Each structure stands twice: as C-alpha cells, then as structure tokens.
Amino acid sequence: TVAAFHSFRFVIKGSLAGAAVYVAYDQGLLGSGTQGAEALKKAQAALPPAIQEWTSYIGWEVRTARTNTLPPTPKFDFSPSDSWNKGVQTVMSALSVAPTRACEYTVEGWKYVKDLVK
Amino acid sequence: MASEGELGRKWDRCMADSAVKLGAGFALGIVFSVIFFKRKTWPIAFGSGMGLGMAYSNCQHDFQSPYLLHGKFVKVS
C-alpha cells in the first residue's frame, strides 16, 4: 500500500508537470520567435482588462476628476528598437551641440566671475 | 516596407521572444523544482537558461534568414 501510494503520488506529480509543459507548448511559448512575440502581444492585450476586473472586484475604482467615469484601459505598446533609436539620436544630438554649449557656458561663467571681482 | 524598419522589427521580435522564453523557462523551472526536486534552486536556473538559449537560437535564425538555405536530397530515379 505504501508503494501504491508512492506510485500514485508520482503519477499525480508527473501529470501536473506534463500538463504545465503542454500548456506552455500549446500557448506557443516554446515555439518560434514569431509565436513568442504573438504570445506576448496576446498577454499585453489581456492584461489591462484583467487589472480593471481585479481592481473592481477588490473595490478600488479610479475615476477621472472631470467626467467621473473610469479612465480608458492603458495599452502597452512598447517597441525596444524605437526607444533605442530615439535614445541614440538624443545622445548624438546632445554630443554634437556639447562643444558649442560648453563655450557659451564658459563665456557666461567668465563674465560672471569678472563681474564679481569688479 | 523599409529595410531598416525590417531590422528594427526583427529586434523587437527577438526581445519579445526572449522575454517570453525566459518567463516560460523560469515558470516551468519553478513547477519542476516544486514537484520533483524538493524546492531546490537549480531547476529554476536550468529552466531560465534553457529559455534564454531557445530565444538566442530563434533570434539567430530570424536574423540570418533568408540567407539560411534549407535543402534536402531528392533521389532521382
């Protein structure tokens, strides 16, 4: 009976682990890059309504001041390549104007010091 | 469809897939750790590593296409 209990327990554990792996495979989490990106998009689309449902279930309701209705659910639309490109452009334009700005600030600082010394 | 946009889209797909695979590997690692390995840490690390490896392989395949050639031998009878 102990052996039967152990084997039964092993079967239950194996079923749980197998079910977890199957669900992951079925959702496209273990497939190609396109499938993974689509799975993430589906999760992002499902997240705001789920958050709204949970907050209303708990009893927290956020209302906008003017219209006293719930604000629209935020949409997560993040593109790493766009953010990276914007960051690179910002840094490069800052570096390109840096010498000019440094000269201007130096001239202003020198003038300020001269006025102080007078 | 601009070609420089295509590279950006490939990077976006790669990042999204990496996040998904890392998360899935981490979650499956937790499941296996709890069920079979008495809540040890190494299955979680193993699962996360496997997820990252799968994501790297997918990214590599995505970036190298369409220059990757898939061929097979056909017997001429």
Side-chain angles (χ1 to χ4, degrees), chain A residues 14-71:
Chain A
S15 309
L16 284 173
V21 172
Y22 177 73
V23 165
Y25 168 75
D26 192 47
Q27 293 295 316
L29 304 180
L30 304 176
S32 69
T34 324
Q35 282 178 328
E38 272 177 27
L40 187 65
K41 262 192 217 153
K42 265 197 288 188
Q44 281 175 342
L47 195 61
I51 290 175
Q52 205 170 37
E53 204 182 305
W54 273 102
T55 51
S56 65
Y57 179 71
I58 293 172
W60 299 341
E61 275 185 351
V62 176
R63 293 187 185 272
T64 54
R66 273 189 215 162
T67 58
N68 202 31
T69 52
L70 292 168

Side-chain angles (χ1 to χ4, degrees), chain A residues 13 29 31-32 36 40 79-81, chain B residues 8 12 16-17 20-21 35-36 58:
Chain A
K13 284 184 179 182
L29 304 180
S32 69
L40 187 65
S79 167
S81 62
Chain B
D12 287 345
D17 188 47
V20 164
K21 294 271 185 314
I35 291 179
F36 289 120
N58 282 347

Side-chain angles (χ1 to χ4, degrees), chain B residues 27-42:
Chain B
L28 284 176
I30 290 177
V31 166
F32 274 82
S33 166
V34 165
I35 291 179
F36 289 120
F37 297 110
K38 292 177 188 134
R39 295 178 198 180
K40 297 261 167 68
T41 320
W42 70 262

